[in-house]
Amino acid sequence: MNPNQGQNQNQQGQQMPQNMMNPNHGGHELFDAHEVIASLINMLDQYQMYAQHIQDPELQSIQQRQHAFVTQMYNTIVQSFSTGQDPAQDTQQYKMQQSNEVVYGIKPGQPKKPNQSVNELADKGLSAYMLGQTKTLATLLSMTALEMTNPVLRRVVADSVPNFIEMSYEIFLYQNKHGYYQVPQLQQKDMNQMLQSYTTAPQGNMPH
């Protein structure tokens, strides 16, 4: 990475220098960016297919809000990738609508098996597919941001990671509330033992 390139990073919304109009990209960065953009397209396409089968209005709302948000994110990343300048619209913050309450414990249920036809698609499986895609993109964007050389694209990609984390958590909470994603716990004594396995370290003065 060019050590002077970080000076061009736009932290205050100022216009990038003229020499960033045609941004420089490393080869590895180009491949990673293409993978990110293709994965965003894949998610958006898949979400449209899911919409035809979702029955629960609450899950429909999640699908619609996430699809609209990721569409805007896609446009932001494409603009940054193509120009190396700040996109027309800043990176937004996704706000989920689920409560943070988690149901703990395992209840017996029917064993899972693959569907035999698309007619068997249901909200339980559809929400799981959605969760798999948001989790995959959270991981992919994190790894990609670490390999970026262009400062604007790096910042836009990095700023998008918390949004996919939030979308994943929203879908998890929906699944957990409906019993689709159950959360086992350790026995209380084992949990307490693990919680007490560490202690804080003495902290000296921070270097100036």
Side-chain angles (χ1 to χ4, degrees), residues 127-147:
S127 57
Y129 310 151
M130 293 166 62
L131 179 60
Q133 288 183 301
T134 56
K135 290 172 66 175
T136 297
L137 277 160
T139 302
L140 176 61
L141 266 69
S142 298
M143 293 189 297
T144 301
L146 299 173
E147 300 292 340

Side-chain angles (χ1 to χ4, degrees), residues 98-116:
Q98 295 287 320
S99 70
N100 290 313
E101 298 176 3
V102 175
V103 178
Y104 293 94
I106 299 291
K107 295 180 181 179
Q110 293 296 320
K112 300 180 179 66
K113 64 179 180 7
N115 293 330
Q116 300 305 300

Side-chain angles (χ1 to χ4, degrees), residues 8-9 11 36 40 43 56 62 67 70-71 78 83 87 93 112 117 142 174 197 199:
N8 294 327
Q9 185 169 349
Q11 299 286 0
V36 164
L40 291 171
M43 175 187 174
D56 183 2
I62 294 173
H67 185 276
V70 175
T71 300
V78 168
T83 68
Q93 184 178 15
K112 300 180 179 66
S117 75
S142 298
Y174 168 83
S197 296
T199 187

Side-chain angles (χ1 to χ4, degrees), residues 85-97:
Q85 294 184 293
D86 271 356
Q89 188 166 18
D90 292 338
T91 306
Q92 303 296 302
Q93 184 178 15
Y94 184 79
K95 297 186 182 298
M96 68 175 187
Q97 296 182 356

